[in-house]
Amino acid sequence: MAPYHIRKYQESDRKWVVRLLSQGMAEHIPATFWQLLKLPRTLILLLGGPLALLLVSGSWLLALMFSLSLLPALWFLAKKPWMDYVDTVLRTDMSDITKSYLSEPDSCFWVAESEEKVVGMVGALPVDDPTLKEKRLQLFHLSVDSEHRCQGIAKALIRTVLQFARDQDCSAVVLDTSNIQLTALSLYQSMGFQKTGQSFSCMWARLVAHITIHFIYRLPSSQAGGL
């Protein structure tokens, strides 16, 4: 296990964090595809479509071609929410990480470095919601390179955010993940995050049953002693 350390983001890290973001999101496409295949409406389409075509046309070849043509279309549906997310992020907060995360004292972006390579990242921004009666921090873009997982890097990055939130006198840390990201769900729950709700981020997410799950970690003043 190679040693690692966590530090603040530098501009020279950009190629590494963009790679982590893109590869991390792409990893979820196969799981989304298989989930899509298991949906009742997809099974009806895969089985009922060719059967109906066979009954109408009498051609087994046409029915088979119809079935095979559906698979690329389903893969596209599984891929689109993740690629749209990457595109949106690279046009918004990660278009200029220094400006978005390091220009104010109540936000930050960290990387985990090992052997002169960035192998993990996480960001934190204050929650901008005037209706809230408490100060909250939101965790963004937690990702660890696939070759450096199971080394405690993700937990260390989360603890870094939680300690930063304490230092900022926040009452809670919130984050969003998805039902596809089973490892992340287990990790957050094991560290004390509690589910507060769920939603669909867009029409495409609804089509593939890609559910956004909202979590919160409470930081009452009585816990100010550390993790």
Side-chain angles (χ1 to χ4, degrees):
M1 182 187 300
Y4 67 88
H5 70 279
I6 295 173
R7 58 170 175 79
K8 287 185 178 181
Y9 169 85
Q10 301 169 1
E11 282 300 322
S12 57
D13 301 325
R14 180 166 179 79
K15 66 176 183 179
W16 295 102
V17 300
V18 171
R19 177 175 174 268
L20 280 172
L21 174 71
S22 301
Q23 292 187 352
M25 295 301 101
E27 288 177 3
H28 303 308
I29 296 172
T32 307
F33 177 71
W34 287 113
Q35 174 175 279
L36 180 57
L37 288 178
K38 297 175 185 177
L39 294 177
R41 58 178 175 268
T42 305
L43 294 174
I44 292 172
L45 181 62
L46 287 172
L47 299 175
L51 180 59
L53 192 58
L54 176 63
L55 293 175
V56 171
S57 67
S59 171
W60 283 99
L61 179 60
L62 195 59
L64 178 61
M65 290 178 62
F66 176 81
S67 295
L68 294 177
S69 68
L70 283 177
L71 295 178
L74 293 173
W75 182 265
F76 172 79
L77 283 176
K79 180 180 179 180
K80 185 171 177 55
W82 301 107
M83 296 301 98
D84 282 354
Y85 175 77
V86 172
D87 290 342
T88 299
V89 164
L90 293 179
R91 284 187 285 103
T92 54
D93 63 304
M94 285 186 67
S95 65
D96 187 339
I97 294 174
T98 299
K99 180 179 179 181
S100 298
Y101 289 90
L102 299 172
S103 61
E104 299 293 339
D106 55 357
S107 59
C108 198
F109 199 100
W110 300 268
V111 298
E113 186 177 38
S114 177
E115 299 179 331
E116 300 183 349
K117 297 180 181 179
V118 172
V119 299
M121 66 178 185
V122 71
L125 290 170
V127 176
D128 184 15
D129 185 349
T131 65
L132 289 175
K133 296 181 180 180
E134 61 182 15
K135 186 177 179 182
R136 292 183 180 182
L137 196 71
Q138 184 159 358
L139 182 153
F140 288 98
H141 310 312
L142 176 67
S143 184
V144 175
D145 181 73
S146 59
E147 295 181 1
H148 292 81
R149 291 173 188 166
C150 301
Q151 298 180 22
I153 296 176
K155 286 186 176 180
L157 287 166
I158 294 172
R159 290 191 182 104
T160 299
V161 174
L162 295 179
Q163 188 57 55
F164 180 76
R166 284 191 172 91
D167 295 341
Q168 295 292 320
D169 294 323
C170 294
S171 298
V173 174
V174 297
L175 63 86
D176 296 333
T177 186
S178 79
N179 60 322
I180 302 295
Q181 297 166 276
L182 299 180
T183 301
L185 287 170
S186 177
L187 172 64
Y188 293 134
Q189 290 174 321
S190 72
M191 296 192 70
F193 283 83
Q194 297 179 328
K195 180 179 175 181
T196 58
Q198 61 185 45
S199 62
F200 292 104
S201 61
C202 61
M203 179 192 70
W204 291 103
R206 186 180 294 274
L207 283 173
V208 299
H210 179 188
I211 303 170
T212 298
I213 301 176
H214 313 291
F215 280 97
I216 191 169
Y217 186 102
R218 294 285 180 186
L219 287 166
S221 57
S222 61
Q223 291 186 358
L227 299 171

